[in-house]
mmCIF file of all heavy atoms in Angstrom:
data_model
loop_
_atom_site.group_PDB
_atom_site.id
_atom_site.type_symbol
_atom_site.label_atom_id
_atom_site.label_comp_id
_atom_site.label_asym_id
_atom_site.label_seq_id
_atom_site.Cartn_x
_atom_site.Cartn_y
_atom_site.Cartn_z
ATOM 1 N N ILE A 71 4.500 -15.359 -2.291
ATOM 2 C CA ILE A 71 5.242 -16.023 -3.370
ATOM 3 C C ILE A 71 5.336 -17.524 -3.075
ATOM 4 O O ILE A 71 5.139 -18.356 -3.966
ATOM 5 C CB ILE A 71 6.633 -15.390 -3.561
ATOM 6 C CG1 ILE A 71 6.472 -13.985 -4.163
ATOM 7 C CG2 ILE A 71 7.523 -16.261 -4.437
ATOM 8 C CD1 ILE A 71 7.744 -13.179 -4.244
ATOM 9 N N THR A 72 5.603 -17.870 -1.820
ATOM 10 C CA THR A 72 5.719 -19.286 -1.446
ATOM 11 C C THR A 72 4.417 -20.038 -1.699
ATOM 12 O O THR A 72 4.432 -21.114 -2.315
ATOM 13 C CB THR A 72 6.131 -19.421 0.035
ATOM 14 O OG1 THR A 72 7.402 -18.796 0.211
ATOM 15 C CG2 THR A 72 6.200 -20.881 0.465
ATOM 16 N N ILE A 73 3.295 -19.487 -1.246
ATOM 17 C CA ILE A 73 2.024 -20.195 -1.448
ATOM 18 C C ILE A 73 1.650 -20.211 -2.931
ATOM 19 O O ILE A 73 1.095 -21.198 -3.424
ATOM 20 C CB ILE A 73 0.877 -19.629 -0.561
ATOM 21 C CG1 ILE A 73 -0.312 -20.591 -0.521
ATOM 22 C CG2 ILE A 73 0.436 -18.250 -1.001
ATOM 23 C CD1 ILE A 73 -0.063 -21.897 0.140
ATOM 24 N N GLY A 74 1.978 -19.155 -3.651
ATOM 25 C CA GLY A 74 1.711 -19.131 -5.090
ATOM 26 C C GLY A 74 2.485 -20.220 -5.821
ATOM 27 O O GLY A 74 1.927 -20.968 -6.633
ATOM 28 N N ILE A 75 3.766 -20.337 -5.503
ATOM 29 C CA ILE A 75 4.600 -21.373 -6.132
ATOM 30 C C ILE A 75 4.136 -22.765 -5.700
ATOM 31 O O ILE A 75 4.091 -23.696 -6.519
ATOM 32 C CB ILE A 75 6.089 -21.139 -5.815
ATOM 33 C CG1 ILE A 75 6.570 -19.875 -6.541
ATOM 34 C CG2 ILE A 75 6.933 -22.355 -6.182
ATOM 35 C CD1 ILE A 75 7.964 -19.420 -6.143
ATOM 36 N N ALA A 76 3.778 -22.903 -4.432
ATOM 37 C CA ALA A 76 3.280 -24.209 -3.948
ATOM 38 C C ALA A 76 2.001 -24.604 -4.684
ATOM 39 O O ALA A 76 1.824 -25.773 -5.057
ATOM 40 C CB ALA A 76 3.039 -24.153 -2.440
ATOM 41 N N ASN A 77 1.116 -23.642 -4.910
ATOM 42 C CA ASN A 77 -0.114 -23.924 -5.654
ATOM 43 C C ASN A 77 0.192 -24.329 -7.099
ATOM 44 O O ASN A 77 -0.447 -25.238 -7.639
ATOM 45 C CB ASN A 77 -1.050 -22.720 -5.620
ATOM 46 C CG ASN A 77 -1.810 -22.608 -4.321
ATOM 47 O OD1 ASN A 77 -2.110 -23.598 -3.686
ATOM 48 N ND2 ASN A 77 -2.128 -21.382 -3.923
ATOM 49 N N ILE A 78 1.155 -23.663 -7.703
ATOM 50 C CA ILE A 78 1.544 -24.023 -9.076
ATOM 51 C C ILE A 78 2.122 -25.445 -9.101
ATOM 52 O O ILE A 78 1.791 -26.243 -9.987
ATOM 53 C CB ILE A 78 2.529 -22.986 -9.662
ATOM 54 C CG1 ILE A 78 1.807 -21.648 -9.885
ATOM 55 C CG2 ILE A 78 3.160 -23.502 -10.959
ATOM 56 C CD1 ILE A 78 2.718 -20.481 -10.204
ATOM 57 N N CYS A 79 2.952 -25.773 -8.124
ATOM 58 C CA CYS A 79 3.523 -27.127 -8.044
ATOM 59 C C CYS A 79 2.427 -28.175 -7.847
ATOM 60 O O CYS A 79 2.472 -29.253 -8.456
ATOM 61 C CB CYS A 79 4.548 -27.210 -6.916
ATOM 62 S SG CYS A 79 6.049 -26.269 -7.251
ATOM 63 N N TYR A 80 1.439 -27.854 -7.012
ATOM 64 C CA TYR A 80 0.296 -28.750 -6.806
ATOM 65 C C TYR A 80 -0.422 -28.994 -8.136
ATOM 66 O O TYR A 80 -0.791 -30.132 -8.453
ATOM 67 C CB TYR A 80 -0.652 -28.141 -5.767
ATOM 68 C CG TYR A 80 -1.976 -28.840 -5.653
ATOM 69 C CD1 TYR A 80 -2.103 -30.050 -4.970
ATOM 70 C CD2 TYR A 80 -3.123 -28.303 -6.233
ATOM 71 C CE1 TYR A 80 -3.321 -30.694 -4.869
ATOM 72 C CE2 TYR A 80 -4.345 -28.940 -6.139
ATOM 73 C CZ TYR A 80 -4.444 -30.135 -5.462
ATOM 74 O OH TYR A 80 -5.654 -30.770 -5.374
ATOM 75 N N CYS A 81 -0.593 -27.939 -8.903
ATOM 76 C CA CYS A 81 -1.272 -28.077 -10.198
ATOM 77 C C CYS A 81 -0.448 -28.888 -11.187
ATOM 78 O O CYS A 81 -0.997 -29.715 -11.920
ATOM 79 C CB CYS A 81 -1.599 -26.698 -10.774
ATOM 80 S SG CYS A 81 -2.938 -25.879 -9.889
ATOM 81 N N ILE A 82 0.850 -28.669 -11.204
ATOM 82 C CA ILE A 82 1.722 -29.445 -12.095
ATOM 83 C C ILE A 82 1.640 -30.931 -11.734
ATOM 84 O O ILE A 82 1.500 -31.787 -12.624
ATOM 85 C CB ILE A 82 3.179 -28.927 -12.037
ATOM 86 C CG1 ILE A 82 3.262 -27.542 -12.690
ATOM 87 C CG2 ILE A 82 4.139 -29.915 -12.702
ATOM 88 C CD1 ILE A 82 4.586 -26.828 -12.473
ATOM 89 N N ALA A 83 1.700 -31.234 -10.440
ATOM 90 C CA ALA A 83 1.599 -32.627 -10.003
ATOM 91 C C ALA A 83 0.238 -33.216 -10.372
ATOM 92 O O ALA A 83 0.154 -34.361 -10.839
ATOM 93 C CB ALA A 83 1.823 -32.717 -8.488
ATOM 94 N N SER A 84 -0.804 -32.425 -10.210
ATOM 95 C CA SER A 84 -2.154 -32.899 -10.549
ATOM 96 C C SER A 84 -2.295 -33.159 -12.045
ATOM 97 O O SER A 84 -2.895 -34.157 -12.448
ATOM 98 C CB SER A 84 -3.203 -31.875 -10.114
ATOM 99 O OG SER A 84 -3.237 -31.766 -8.720
ATOM 100 N N VAL A 85 -1.756 -32.274 -12.855
ATOM 101 C CA VAL A 85 -1.827 -32.464 -14.310
ATOM 102 C C VAL A 85 -1.045 -33.715 -14.704
ATOM 103 O O VAL A 85 -1.491 -34.488 -15.556
ATOM 104 C CB VAL A 85 -1.334 -31.210 -15.061
ATOM 105 C CG1 VAL A 85 -1.130 -31.491 -16.546
ATOM 106 C CG2 VAL A 85 -2.311 -30.051 -14.867
ATOM 107 N N TYR A 86 0.094 -33.920 -14.063
ATOM 108 C CA TYR A 86 0.854 -35.149 -14.317
ATOM 109 C C TYR A 86 -0.012 -36.377 -13.991
ATOM 110 O O TYR A 86 -0.078 -37.334 -14.773
ATOM 111 C CB TYR A 86 2.148 -35.164 -13.495
ATOM 112 C CG TYR A 86 2.839 -36.492 -13.527
ATOM 113 C CD1 TYR A 86 3.553 -36.894 -14.661
ATOM 114 C CD2 TYR A 86 2.782 -37.367 -12.449
ATOM 115 C CE1 TYR A 86 4.177 -38.128 -14.722
ATOM 116 C CE2 TYR A 86 3.408 -38.597 -12.489
ATOM 117 C CZ TYR A 86 4.100 -38.981 -13.630
ATOM 118 O OH TYR A 86 4.714 -40.206 -13.677
ATOM 119 N N LEU A 87 -0.682 -36.346 -12.840
ATOM 120 C CA LEU A 87 -1.532 -37.474 -12.443
ATOM 121 C C LEU A 87 -2.720 -37.645 -13.387
ATOM 122 O O LEU A 87 -3.134 -38.774 -13.667
ATOM 123 C CB LEU A 87 -1.997 -37.300 -10.998
ATOM 124 C CG LEU A 87 -0.880 -37.418 -9.960
ATOM 125 C CD1 LEU A 87 -1.358 -36.949 -8.597
ATOM 126 C CD2 LEU A 87 -0.349 -38.848 -9.906
ATOM 127 N N ILE A 88 -3.247 -36.554 -13.886
ATOM 128 C CA ILE A 88 -4.333 -36.627 -14.870
ATOM 129 C C ILE A 88 -3.841 -37.361 -16.119
ATOM 130 O O ILE A 88 -4.553 -38.196 -16.673
ATOM 131 C CB ILE A 88 -4.856 -35.221 -15.236
ATOM 132 C CG1 ILE A 88 -5.618 -34.612 -14.050
ATOM 133 C CG2 ILE A 88 -5.752 -35.267 -16.473
ATOM 134 C CD1 ILE A 88 -5.907 -33.121 -14.214
ATOM 135 N N THR A 89 -2.611 -37.070 -16.552
ATOM 136 C CA THR A 89 -2.083 -37.742 -17.746
ATOM 137 C C THR A 89 -1.791 -39.220 -17.470
ATOM 138 O O THR A 89 -2.050 -40.068 -18.313
ATOM 139 C CB THR A 89 -0.820 -37.038 -18.292
ATOM 140 O OG1 THR A 89 0.200 -37.040 -17.297
ATOM 141 C CG2 THR A 89 -1.119 -35.609 -18.701
ATOM 142 N N VAL A 90 -1.253 -39.509 -16.282
ATOM 143 C CA VAL A 90 -0.936 -40.902 -15.943
ATOM 144 C C VAL A 90 -2.208 -41.753 -15.883
ATOM 145 O O VAL A 90 -2.236 -42.893 -16.346
ATOM 146 C CB VAL A 90 -0.169 -40.978 -14.599
ATOM 147 C CG1 VAL A 90 -0.083 -42.414 -14.090
ATOM 148 C CG2 VAL A 90 1.220 -40.376 -14.749
ATOM 149 N N TYR A 91 -3.273 -41.196 -15.294
ATOM 150 C CA TYR A 91 -4.514 -41.951 -15.090
ATOM 151 C C TYR A 91 -5.615 -41.542 -16.071
ATOM 152 O O TYR A 91 -6.783 -41.820 -15.834
ATOM 153 C CB TYR A 91 -4.999 -41.778 -13.637
ATOM 154 C CG TYR A 91 -4.043 -42.398 -12.659
ATOM 155 C CD1 TYR A 91 -3.136 -41.611 -11.953
ATOM 156 C CD2 TYR A 91 -4.033 -43.771 -12.450
ATOM 157 C CE1 TYR A 91 -2.238 -42.185 -11.059
ATOM 158 C CE2 TYR A 91 -3.134 -44.353 -11.562
ATOM 159 C CZ TYR A 91 -2.250 -43.547 -10.870
ATOM 160 O OH TYR A 91 -1.366 -44.123 -9.996
#
Side-chain angles (χ1 to χ4, degrees):
I71 290 173
T72 299
I73 195 66
I75 291 171
N77 281 329
I78 292 169
C79 291
Y80 169 77
C81 288
I82 290 170
S84 294
V85 168
Y86 170 76
L87 292 168
I88 290 168
T89 60
V90 168
Y91 294 101

